[in-house]
Amino acid sequence: MSRHATTAPGAAATARASARLGLTLRAVLVAPKQGFESAVAAADRRARAARKPAEGITPYVLSALGGAALFLLWLKLGALFDLRDAPRGSFRSVYLIGVVGIGAALGLVCQAVWAAMSAAILRSESAPRRNLRLMWGASALPQVFALLLLPLDLLIAGSGAFTTTRLEDPLGAAWAALSIALGGAFAAWAAYLFVRGVAITSKAGALRVVAAIASGVVVLALTYGPLILSTRVIS
């Protein structure tokens, strides 16, 4: 048997899995009910096949990227509204990279803590921790688009996008404002998917769903709050 013949089935299976993942993520964005239900069904299939983690690694990747994007949005908002004392001379690329990395790590922490809390709140057979972790990660998908703004921020506006020094270049100033608007829109989109996802995934009563959503806000505030306070000055 040729080498190509032995590797072809595995490659075909990988290609099919990637295609299904792409269709599922697309559905989450444009048809949340169909998308979340499809994602949960896929996790159920993986669980029956004893594959671990049953939810796959994609929700964790998306959660980390979403956490990084959320913290970048704070850095830009803090600079725009003078919520941070960060003049242009205080900017350091290494600190920007560092806080993005920390933001990503905190995104994973939020995902795990919220799933554990909400599983106890929802008390639904449809909402084990696995499915809640999956839902948290999938709802962060729009934040990936926000993270893609970072190279353009640095290219067009430079370090001024993350400092309180007024941008003199009209193009840079216009892009900085547009970048914040887009980042806010992506964050709002992610929040909408999160709210829809909790209800769709858990199939729990309205009060329990509201409590689970509120717990997500609390987890984000308690997790990111200290880091936000510590980055009021980046120097």
Side-chain angles (χ1 to χ4, degrees):
M1 184 178 293
S2 69
R3 178 180 177 183
H4 293 291
T6 58
T7 58
T14 300
R16 287 194 298 271
S18 298
R20 285 196 298 268
L21 175 61
L23 290 173
T24 299
L25 292 179
R26 177 182 179 276
V28 167
L29 293 177
V30 301
K33 187 176 189 300
Q34 177 185 345
F36 285 117
E37 289 178 347
S38 177
V40 170
D44 289 339
R45 288 194 299 270
R46 288 175 58 91
R48 287 193 296 270
R51 299 178 64 181
K52 296 183 179 181
E55 64 272 28
I57 64 170
T58 301
Y60 300 102
V61 174
L62 292 176
S63 183
L65 294 177
L70 184 63
F71 196 73
L72 279 177
L73 179 61
W74 150 250
L75 291 181
K76 290 186 284 189
L77 283 171
L80 178 66
F81 295 108
D82 288 330
L83 300 176
R84 298 188 296 116
D85 182 16
R88 186 185 296 271
S90 69
F91 180 84
R92 300 290 186 277
S93 297
V94 65
Y95 289 118
L96 178 63
I97 295 171
V99 295
V100 168
I102 294 172
L106 291 182
L108 293 171
V109 171
C110 288
Q111 179 186 38
V113 172
W114 177 79
M117 289 178 57
S118 294
I121 292 171
L122 294 167
R123 297 181 183 178
S124 170
E125 293 182 358
S126 300
R129 294 185 184 185
R130 176 198 72 200
N131 289 356
L132 294 173
R133 290 193 298 267
L134 186 155
M135 191 282 301
W136 178 285
S139 65
L141 180 57
Q143 292 284 63
V144 176
F145 304 132
L147 194 61
L148 296 177
L149 297 172
L150 177 58
L152 293 174
D153 290 334
L154 295 174
L155 179 64
I156 299 174
S159 62
F162 301 98
T163 64
T164 53
T165 301
R166 182 180 179 85
L167 287 167
E168 302 296 336
D169 178 23
L171 177 61
W175 170 258
L178 177 61
S179 177
I180 291 173
L182 289 173
F186 289 133
W189 190 2
Y192 164 76
L193 291 179
F194 175 73
V195 171
R196 289 292 311 277
V198 174
I200 293 167
T201 304
S202 68
K203 297 180 173 62
L207 290 178
R208 292 188 182 276
V209 168
V210 170
I213 293 169
S215 71
V217 176
V218 172
V219 168
L220 285 172
L222 293 179
T223 305
Y224 282 89
L227 184 60
I228 287 174
L229 292 176
S230 71
T231 55
R232 287 182 61 85
V233 179
I234 297 183
S235 58

